[in-house]
Amino acid sequence: MEGKRKKLSLVAAVVVVAGVGGIAYLHWRASPPGDRLTLYGNVDIREINAAFYDSGRIQQLLVQEGDKVHKGELLATLDDSRFTDALIAANARAANQKQILAALLAGSRPEQIAQAKAQMDALEAVYQNNQANSRRYATLTPGGAATIQQRDDARAAFLNARQNYEAAKQAYILAVKGPRTEDIAAAQAAYDEAKANAALAARQEQDTKLYAPSDGIIEERVQEPGDMTAPSTPVYIIALTNPIWVRAYVPEAELGRVHPGQEANITTDSYPGKIYRGWVGYISPTAEFTPKTVETPDLRAQLVYQLRIYACAPDGQLQLGMPATVSINLASDQGQGAARGADVCDGQHASAP
C-alpha cells in the first residue's frame, strides 16, 4: 500500500513538472523577439597624413606622439630663408610695376606740356626764318646776286627746320593727349602679373608652416628636424577623435530590425563595466561577405551589412582597432542619423560626418 502511494506521488510530480514545462514552452513561443541585438566589431578612427605644401628642410617639430592638437595649431616649420628672399623680390617687382602704371594713369605733367610747346615754338621760329631765307636766295640767284650753292644751302636749311618743327609739333600733341589706352592696359596687365607673383610668393612663404587641419591626437611623428620633406611625405599622422565609431556587421536576417538613430551601448575588454552610449549612424547599402578577420569559418560565407555605431564622448578611451561589443536597443525610437544621435548623446560631444 505504501509502495503504491509512492508511485502515485512520483507520477503526480512528473505530471506537474511536465505541465510547468509546457506552460513555460508556450510562454516562450508566444513572447516577442528580444529587444536588443548584440554585435561585435572594432573601433574605427579616421587618420590624416599631415604634410607641407612645399619641399624643404624641416626646421622645427613642435608636437610629439600622443599630444592633443586643435585645428589651426602650428605643428612644424621649414627653413624659410629662400622663400623669404623670393617674397621680397616679388614685392619689389610689384611695387615697380605699380609706379609705372600710376605714371601712365596720371598722364603728362603740366611742365612737360609747357616744355613741349616751348620747343615747338622755338623750332617754328627757326623754320619760318629759314623759309624766308630760302625764298630770298631763290629770288636773288637768277640775277646773279646769289650763287646756286647759296640757294641750295638755304633750301636745305629750310627743309630741315620744317621737319624739326613738325616733330616738335607732334611731340606737343602727344604730351597734351597723354599715354595711349593700349599702353595703360599693358602696364595694368604687367602690374596684375607682378601682384599675382607676389601673392604666390607670400603663399609659398606661409606654406613653410604646417598647421593642424583638424582636432585630433598625434598618432605618429614620421620625420625629424633636419629631414628633407616634400608634399608627398607626411610629417605627422593625426588620429581624428571626433567622430569615433565602432565598425560592426549585422547579418542579413537581422537587417530589418536595425535602423539609423537607434540607441546603442558600447563596451570593451579594456575598460570592464564602462558603458559608452551611442547610436546607429550608418548602414551600408551594399551586402558583403563576413570579413575573415571577424568571424569563424562557418560564418564567413554569410552575407552581412556594415554598421557604424557612433560613440558619445568616449573621453579618449576608445583606441583605433580596439575590439568592442555593441548592444543595439531595437525598441528605441528611430530617428534621422546624426539628428537622432544628438538626442541620444544628450548634449555630449559627438557628431557624424
Side-chain angles (χ1 to χ4, degrees), residues 16-33:
V16 171
V17 171
V20 171
I23 293 173
Y25 174 77
L26 291 175
H27 177 73
W28 176 78
R29 289 293 299 240
S31 63

Side-chain angles (χ1 to χ4, degrees), residues 120 123 161-174:
M120 179 187 69
L123 291 176
R162 185 173 67 180
Q163 293 298 327
N164 290 337
Y165 166 67
E166 289 296 334
K169 182 179 179 180
Q170 296 303 319
Y172 170 69
I173 293 173
L174 289 177

Side-chain angles (χ1 to χ4, degrees), residues 22-349:
I23 293 173
Y25 174 77
L26 291 175
H27 177 73
W28 176 78
R29 289 293 299 240
S31 63
D35 59 356
R36 301 201 76 87
L37 176 64
T38 300
L39 302 174
Y40 303 93
N42 298 87
V43 176
D44 207 351
I45 298 176
R46 291 178 297 168
E47 296 176 333
I48 293 178
N49 293 328
F52 286 100
Y53 280 101
D54 215 320
S55 301
R57 189 175 300 280
I58 297 176
Q59 188 173 57
Q60 288 180 303
L61 293 179
L62 304 176
V63 292
Q64 307 290 337
E65 285 94 346
D67 289 350
K68 291 184 178 181
V69 296
H70 301 284
K71 184 177 181 179
E73 181 179 344
L74 182 63
L75 303 180
T77 61
L78 292 178
D79 179 7
D80 63 353
S81 55
R82 62 190 178 93
F83 296 97
T84 301
D85 293 341
L87 176 59
I88 293 174
N91 284 334
R93 286 191 291 269
N96 180 61
Q97 290 297 330
K98 181 179 180 181
Q99 295 305 318
I100 293 174
L101 176 62
L104 291 175
L105 290 174
S108 302
R109 297 179 183 178
E111 296 82 0
Q112 291 174 318
I113 296 175
Q115 182 184 32
K117 187 175 187 308
Q119 182 73 14
M120 179 187 69
D121 292 344
L123 291 176
E124 183 182 14
V126 174
Y127 155 63
Q128 290 177 350
N129 181 64
N130 288 350
Q131 184 181 38
N133 287 336
S134 176
R135 288 174 180 172
R136 186 179 306 112
Y137 279 107
T139 302
L140 295 175
T141 300
T147 65
I148 295 176
Q149 181 65 44
Q150 289 176 322
R151 182 198 65 184
D152 293 342
D153 290 343
R155 179 167 179 77
F158 156 64
L159 294 176
N160 183 63
R162 185 173 67 180
Q163 293 298 327
N164 290 337
Y165 166 67
E166 289 296 334
K169 182 179 179 180
Q170 296 303 319
Y172 170 69
I173 293 173
L174 289 177
V176 172
K177 288 185 175 181
R180 295 174 58 180
T181 303
E182 295 81 358
D183 293 337
I184 295 175
Q188 180 69 60
Y191 176 49
D192 291 342
E193 180 184 10
K195 282 197 304 181
N197 290 333
L200 177 60
R203 178 57 187 270
Q204 290 174 336
E205 195 272 339
Q206 183 64 23
D207 286 344
T208 61
K209 299 176 178 63
L210 176 61
Y211 297 94
S214 184
D215 294 350
I217 296 176
I218 300 298
E219 187 173 287
E220 185 178 354
R221 178 167 145 166
V222 182
Q223 299 192 68
E224 294 297 328
D227 284 341
M228 289 297 296
T229 188
S232 60
T233 306
V235 179
Y236 291 105
I237 297 178
I238 303 174
L240 303 182
T241 55
N242 185 46
I244 290 179
W245 66 81
V246 174
R247 178 169 54 190
Y249 297 86
V250 60
E252 183 183 16
E254 301 288 349
L255 182 62
R257 305 172 65 194
V258 181
H259 306 279
Q262 287 177 322
E263 298 178 14
N265 291 334
I266 302 170
T267 58
T268 65
D269 295 336
S270 301
Y271 299 95
K274 175 74 173 182
I275 298 177
Y276 305 93
R277 297 173 61 194
W279 81 98
V280 178
Y282 168 79
I283 302 175
S284 173
T286 306
E288 57 186 289
F289 291 107
T290 308
K292 298 186 185 316
T293 58
V294 175
E295 298 293 355
T296 63
D298 294 338
L299 298 177
R300 288 175 187 169
Q302 292 186 0
L303 287 177
V304 295
Y305 291 80
Q306 183 188 143
L307 299 182
R308 288 182 185 174
I309 298 88
Y310 291 96
C312 302
D315 300 325
Q317 295 177 344
L318 297 181
Q319 303 296 325
L320 177 64
M322 180 182 291
T325 301
V326 176
S327 177
I328 300 175
N329 183 3
L330 301 176
S332 62
D333 294 335
Q334 300 172 14
Q336 296 297 321
R340 173 59 184 161
D343 296 335
V344 171
C345 292
D346 193 20
Q348 298 182 63
H349 180 60

